[in-house]
Amino acid sequence: MRLMVEFTTEPFELDTFPEHAATARKVVDEAGLDVAVGPFGTGAEGEAEQVLAAVTRLLRETLDAGATRISVQVSVLGEEGGTP
């Protein structure tokens, strides 16, 4: 089963790339997920176990890096991937 996770970390900073955001990006990159960065959040997809392990790590490490809120949405993708 393939999953997509969409997430944002806060607080938002308009003039810099906060440490918690950089940490989140590093986690999904290191997990080997297919990543798409948008203006208001990041999406990543991969196999279920890969995504779930990345979400657990993302929560722990971004909180440690100063995030005060993390919004996460996980969706099951169809057989071919793409939009649920």
Side-chain angles (χ1 to χ4, degrees), residues 2-6 34 36 42-46 51 73-77 82-84:
R2 288 187 65 80
L3 299 177
M4 172 178 268
V5 60
E6 297 174 275
D34 297 324
T42 301
E45 67 178 73
V51 171
Q73 178 175 312
V74 178
S75 303
V76 176
L77 299 176
T83 306

Side-chain angles (χ1 to χ4, degrees), residues 11-80:
F12 297 117
E13 295 179 23
L14 298 177
D15 297 331
T16 64
F17 195 61
E19 183 181 348
H20 57 81
T23 298
R25 178 60 195 259
K26 179 181 174 192
V27 167
V28 293
D29 284 343
E30 289 178 355
L33 303 177
D34 297 324
V35 180
V37 178
F40 300 107
T42 301
E45 67 178 73
E47 293 303 314
E49 290 302 317
Q50 183 183 27
V51 171
L52 295 173
V55 167
T56 299
R57 185 174 162 211
L58 180 132
L59 294 171
R60 286 187 178 127
E61 293 188 20
T62 56
L63 289 169
D64 287 346
T68 57
R69 178 184 299 211
I70 305 160
S71 300
V72 177
Q73 178 175 312
V74 178
S75 303
V76 176
L77 299 176
E79 292 293 319
E80 300 297 319

